[in-house]
Amino acid sequence: MTQEIEIEYKNLLTKAEFERLLYSLPFPLSGIKQTNHYFETKDFLLKENGCALRIREKEGKYQLTLKEPHPEGLLETHDWLTDQEANSWLDGHIIPKENTEKQLLEKGIALKKLVYCGQLTTVRREIQYLDVLLVLDNSTYHDQEDFEFELEAKTRETGLQMFQHILSEHHIQNRETPNKIERFFYSMKD
């Protein structure tokens, strides 16, 4: 099964803070565009289980990912989709995929209950920095734009220490930061 544990720290940024990190750290000046297509049930069973389901479209490839809580961070379960399968999902015709379907069924969530909710597009810049992955994201969704700094690490201790160091060094306030899917669904309430 294609699974991984994701240990990440994130912080929303102002545009000025985003630019400060972009030009202070060795990020590439241009980023890679990716689009997240989000799914949920009408009665929000994924959210109720602390989960999120998306198809990420990046460089002509489609990856279906289920994120669910894990003691060390988030457990991500992946399946690759063909162009035809991805378009089928987006049109409301869900094609079963072995890994994600198994995880969803363990939570009592049937594929037929899933509905497509919309998309969030991000221009992402990534760099390996010391022993972590640093990410700068500029995202747009529902006529909104936001800026975010993410840090992915192999351990919580390493990640938290480096995350706090970078924020402090660049005079950036540590902010409570909902993940992208939470921001996406929250913006639909406006």
Side-chain angles (χ1 to χ4, degrees), residues 30-100:
S30 62
I32 305 237
K33 181 180 173 184
Q34 61 187 35
T35 301
N36 290 346
H37 300 277
Y38 294 120
F39 295 83
E40 182 52 274
T41 65
K42 289 183 180 175
D43 51 357
F44 292 94
L45 287 175
L46 287 165
K47 180 181 178 186
E48 186 178 298
N49 281 275
C51 297
L53 183 65
R54 70 162 189 238
I55 293 173
R56 175 167 285 165
E57 179 183 347
K58 181 177 174 182
E59 298 179 323
K61 296 185 177 163
Y62 299 88
Q63 186 177 46
L64 177 65
T65 299
L66 174 67
K67 293 187 175 201
E68 54 189 297
H70 185 276
E72 292 298 313
L74 290 172
L75 176 64
E76 293 187 342
T77 303
H78 306 289
D79 283 295
W80 288 101
L81 301 175
T82 65
D83 291 358
Q84 184 177 355
E85 288 171 330
N87 287 325
S88 182
W89 273 71
L90 298 177
D91 288 338
H93 307 291
I94 306 299
I95 308 268
K97 297 302 285 187
E98 180 182 6
N99 300 325
T100 46

Side-chain angles (χ1 to χ4, degrees), residues 112-185:
K112 66 183 179 185
K113 295 188 91 177
L114 296 173
V115 294
Y116 177 55
C117 299
Q119 69 183 38
L120 175 146
T121 300
T122 298
V123 175
R124 171 166 283 189
R125 294 162 177 88
E126 296 182 350
I127 55 167
Q128 284 298 139
Y129 186 77
L130 301 176
D131 200 24
V132 297
L133 176 70
L134 302 183
V135 178
L136 277 181
D137 284 342
N138 176 202
S139 299
T140 54
Y141 50 99
H142 301 135
D143 298 323
Q144 295 192 37
E145 177 180 36
D146 67 36
F147 303 91
E148 181 180 25
F149 168 62
E150 290 184 13
L151 183 146
E152 293 184 17
K154 293 180 175 85
T155 68
R156 285 178 179 250
E157 299 76 29
T158 303
L160 183 58
Q161 183 179 18
M162 180 63 76
F163 182 73
Q164 291 172 335
H165 171 75
I166 290 173
L167 292 183
S168 174
E169 184 176 272
H170 296 278
H171 310 288
I172 296 172
Q173 176 186 349
N174 191 348
R175 298 176 179 96
E176 179 98 14
T177 299
N179 62 36
K180 284 180 181 66
I181 195 166
E182 290 171 310
R183 298 192 316 261
F184 171 85
F185 277 107

Side-chain angles (χ1 to χ4, degrees), residues 1-19:
M1 181 175 297
T2 307
Q3 290 185 315
E4 62 185 326
I5 307 292
E6 181 182 62
I7 299 170
E8 71 177 5
Y9 297 89
K10 46 181 74 216
N11 203 69
L12 281 170
L13 304 171
T14 65
K15 186 173 185 178
E17 291 167 339
F18 175 87
E19 290 173 351

